[in-house]
Each structure stands twice: as structure tokens, then as C-alpha cells.
Amino acid sequence: MKKKYKKLIRKLILLLIIVGIGLGSYKLYKHFNNDGDSSAFKITQSKDNKVKETWPKVEKVSLIAGGDTVVHDQVAAFAKKSDDTYDFNPYFTEIKDMISSYDIAYYNQETTLGGKELGYTFYPMFNTPTEFGQAMVNTGFNMVSLANNHSYDRGEKAVINSVNFWNSQDDVMTNGMALSDEERTNYQIMTKNGISYAMLSYTYGLNGFKLPNGKDYLVNVYSDELVKKDIEAIRDKVDVLIVAMHWGVEYTHNPTNTQKTQAKYLASLGVDVIIGNHPHCIQPVEWIDNTLVIYSLGNLISNQVILVPKYGQKVAIGAFATMDFIKTTNEDGTKNIKIDNLEIELSYTYKNSAEKYYKVIPFSKMNTKYLSNYEEVYNEFKNVIQKFDNNIKVKPSA
């Protein structure tokens, strides 16, 4: 009798296990076949059990863009070590996590990294330690604009040294300087998450310097013809095209008519994003059709608040622009690229003269230790950014 009872118990347990497996399998089937649940991922299988790709296919790449880096004498002096090397890394500890979290991280290298052999110089003709560029790479920046009005401050040798430094950096995209015609038109294209992208960089001029005859490739000096030629050569090869423009008038929040005209021209050529540099203070952001135009992100770091004190916080406040590029590919091969989640965050160059250091502070980490009236400053510069478009989102301060 006991044996029969034990057999019955075993049969009941086995039955319960079979029922449990069946219920679990059914739930899995319901989940993966998306029955009534729009959030579930749908997998379809053909009769030969091969998984079919689901359409449309959506891919995303994120970008953050910062402004001008102007390595004045004290910016360098505070980073100098006893062995005559430089460590700029501590300047960027408050933004490193933010910068490195994006797929693409852009900034403008305002002062040329010409190397120690030429002797380091500062305003008005710059030659910056290469350690500065290395610190920016360490922070997470991987897209660098090199064409600006200071690009030829120390001549051809400084350009050569700078290009060689940047060429030694793995997975960093640069544009604006080159060592030959061939290199200038060998446009750098990168791909991330299935999205291909490129950046072109131009400057309005070189502070009166002229490039040697036959060596216009050293620095990209803007002309409508040059830009058109470059864009036509690369536009169909990439999903996203970014153009860095060194333009405008310094220390003004208002784009010039020339900036506006050039922005419309670039938009007509199919540029996705225009990132402006040079004014050293923030200017508005707007859309021209499907082209995002950031007229100026101001300074990422500089000592101009001391050198040009009459402009005060105009030159101490910069901004970061963040966005996503969304690529949708349909089964027939057609695709669409859109810019989404655009947001601007203000930043501040904090200088501690007593302890001899600088810090770049995003407003999401701002407090009165760094800037006593930061809430008032936030409202002032938010209005500047939204001057042409109230729908441009400005990230709230801390």
C-alpha cells in the first residue's frame, strides 16, 4: 500500500512539472510573438526556422559638442609641473563622465599644438603644449576642429607638428589642417552603431597671415567654392555631415549677416549640423530647414575673463550641445536621418588664482562656490540661446 502511494505521489509531481513547463513555454511564446504587447520585441521565423530581420531598422549615435579652447599663459602655467611637462587633466574632471558617455565628442582646438621644439607662446601668437590635446582625448573628446584664425600663428612647422600629433591619436577625427592636397581630400569617415559620419572644418582667415604658394592645403580657409567642392565629394558617402565654422565677430551674442548667409548656403548643400566657433561667447541656436545651426558655443576654457575684463561673464560662460542622430532604414533600402533630443547645457570656466587651477563646470553641477549669481546668469544666457527659437531646450542648472 505504501509503495502504491509513493508511485501516485511521483506521478502527481511529474504531472505538475509537465504542466509548469507548458505554461512557461506558452508565456515565452506570447512574449516573443508580441500578442497584445506593443513593447515586446517581435521575432518572426520562416518555415526553415531562419530568423528574419525586423523592419524598419533603427540605429542611434549620440554627440556632444563644446566650444573654443584658448590656452593662454596662465592656463598653461597652472598646469606646468616641476619637470617642465604639463598636466591639464585636472581641469576637466567635472565634465569627463559627461563627455565620455557620448559616442562623438567635438571641440575646437583654438591654439595650435606646435610642439616644444618651437617654444611655447601665448597671446597673440599661440603655440600650445601637446599635453593639452592629450588631456582632451583623455577626457573623451574624439572629434577636433583645427581650422581657425590662430592655425598659422607659428607657421608651417607648427601645422606639421600639430597634424602629426593628431594623426598619432587613435580613433580621433580631425579636419581643417593637412600636410598635402591628397591628405586634405582624403576625407576621414567613421562609423558608429551603423551610422557613418564626417566633419569638415573652415576658418574665415588667419589673422593676416598668408599660406605659402601651392600650400593652401595646410589650413582650410573658407570660400563658397572650396566648401561646395568638399561637400559634393563627401555628402553621399556619409549619413551625417558636420561642418565646423570659425566665423563671426568676437565678443558679441549676435551672428553677423555673413554668418547667416553662409549658414543658409551650407544648409542648401545638405549639411546636417553647423557648429560655430570664434566669437568666444554664446550665440543663438536655430534650424534652417533640416540643418541645425549652432552659431557659437563660446569658450570651453580660456583666461579671457581676466584678459578682457570688460566682457566679464560673456567669455567665461560657454555651452555644450547634445543630440542624437537617429537612422531609420526600411526593407527596400530607403533611409531617413533625423536629429533628436537636442539640448544645450551652459558651462563655466572657474579660475582659482590662489590654488592655481582651472575647472570647467557644467551648470548641472554648478553651485555658489564657483559662481555666486549662477541662477541669474543661467536665465540671461538661456535667452541668448533661444533668441531665434524658443523651442531650443536649455538644460536647467543644478
Side-chain angles (χ1 to χ4, degrees), residues 237-283:
K237 297 178 181 178
V238 295
D239 296 314
V240 176
L241 180 58
I242 299 163
V243 172
M245 289 291 291
H246 213 74
W247 59 1
V249 174
E250 293 178 327
Y251 314 124
T252 175
H253 292 307
N254 299 309
T256 64
N257 289 333
T258 298
Q259 283 174 272
K260 294 176 183 178
T261 299
Q262 289 175 346
K264 290 178 181 177
Y265 180 64
L266 291 169
S268 74
L269 295 174
V271 173
D272 295 297
V273 183
I274 302 167
I275 305 175
N277 316 299
H278 179 62
H280 300 301
C281 59
I282 292 172
Q283 292 186 345

Side-chain angles (χ1 to χ4, degrees), residues 129-266:
T130 55
E131 288 98 327
F132 182 84
Q134 190 62 61
M136 297 300 281
V137 173
N138 295 345
T139 301
F141 289 98
N142 56 17
M143 178 181 280
V144 188
S145 173
L146 300 179
N148 59 73
N149 59 309
H150 290 291
S151 294
Y152 206 68
D153 278 0
R154 298 296 305 277
E156 183 175 352
K157 181 61 176 174
V159 172
I160 293 171
N161 289 350
S162 182
V163 171
N164 285 336
F165 167 78
W166 287 112
N167 286 345
S168 73
Q169 301 297 309
D170 294 334
D171 301 321
V172 175
M173 174 178 286
T174 64
N175 192 265
M177 289 181 176
L179 303 185
S180 66
D181 279 319
E182 182 181 10
E183 184 179 60
R184 200 199 76 78
T185 54
N186 185 21
Y187 308 105
Q188 195 173 3
I189 296 173
M190 290 186 175
T191 300
K192 180 75 175 181
N193 300 338
I195 298 176
S196 59
Y197 59 93
M199 183 260 298
L200 301 172
S201 170
Y202 304 92
T203 178
Y204 71 90
L206 298 170
N207 287 348
F209 289 111
K210 300 293 183 183
L211 297 173
N213 290 334
K215 294 187 176 182
D216 290 347
Y217 54 77
L218 288 171
V219 183
N220 283 348
V221 178
Y222 180 93
S223 71
D224 287 349
E225 297 74 21
L226 179 65
V227 165
K228 187 173 188 293
K229 177 182 176 181
D230 288 340
I231 292 175
E232 287 179 348
I234 198 173
R235 176 62 277 189
D236 292 340
K237 297 178 181 178
V238 295
D239 296 314
V240 176
L241 180 58
I242 299 163
V243 172
M245 289 291 291
H246 213 74
W247 59 1
V249 174
E250 293 178 327
Y251 314 124
T252 175
H253 292 307
N254 299 309
T256 64
N257 289 333
T258 298
Q259 283 174 272
K260 294 176 183 178
T261 299
Q262 289 175 346
K264 290 178 181 177
Y265 180 64
L266 291 169

Side-chain angles (χ1 to χ4, degrees), residues 267-268 287-292:
S268 74
W287 292 90
I288 299 178
D289 298 325
N290 293 321
T291 301
L292 176 64

Side-chain angles (χ1 to χ4, degrees), residues 9 15 31 45-46 62 74 81 94 108-109 120 147 224 244 247 268 272 303 310 374 381:
I9 293 296
L15 180 62
H31 173 76
Q45 287 184 310
S46 62
S62 59
Q74 284 200 343
K81 300 169 71 176
E94 295 299 322
N108 169 48
Q109 182 59 56
Y120 299 131
D224 287 349
W247 59 1
S268 74
D272 295 297
N303 193 44
K310 66 179 180 178
Y374 74 88
F381 285 86

Side-chain angles (χ1 to χ4, degrees), residues 43-178:
I43 294 177
T44 58
Q45 287 184 310
S46 62
K47 290 181 179 179
D48 58 3
N49 291 323
K50 290 183 179 178
V51 177
K52 291 183 178 179
E53 195 164 5
T54 302
W55 300 98
K57 186 177 181 181
V58 179
E59 296 159 304
K60 182 182 78 170
V61 165
S62 59
L63 176 142
I64 185 167
D68 299 331
T69 56
V70 192
V71 184
H72 290 105
D73 51 358
Q74 284 200 343
V75 176
F78 287 3
K80 191 174 184 179
K81 300 169 71 176
S82 58
D83 60 356
D84 287 337
T85 61
Y86 293 81
D87 182 9
F88 296 94
N89 291 286
Y91 293 179
F92 307 111
T93 54
E94 295 299 322
I95 63 170
K96 184 173 181 177
D97 288 348
M98 176 176 70
I99 299 300
S100 60
S101 69
Y102 286 83
D103 298 314
I104 308 170
Y106 162 98
Y107 83 97
N108 169 48
Q109 182 59 56
E110 180 86 9
T111 52
T112 300
L113 309 182
K116 187 176 182 178
E117 64 180 292
L118 298 179
Y120 299 131
T121 52
F122 308 99
Y123 183 82
M125 295 173 63
F126 293 90
N127 178 37
T128 294
T130 55
E131 288 98 327
F132 182 84
Q134 190 62 61
M136 297 300 281
V137 173
N138 295 345
T139 301
F141 289 98
N142 56 17
M143 178 181 280
V144 188
S145 173
L146 300 179
N148 59 73
N149 59 309
H150 290 291
S151 294
Y152 206 68
D153 278 0
R154 298 296 305 277
E156 183 175 352
K157 181 61 176 174
V159 172
I160 293 171
N161 289 350
S162 182
V163 171
N164 285 336
F165 167 78
W166 287 112
N167 286 345
S168 73
Q169 301 297 309
D170 294 334
D171 301 321
V172 175
M173 174 178 286
T174 64
N175 192 265
M177 289 181 176

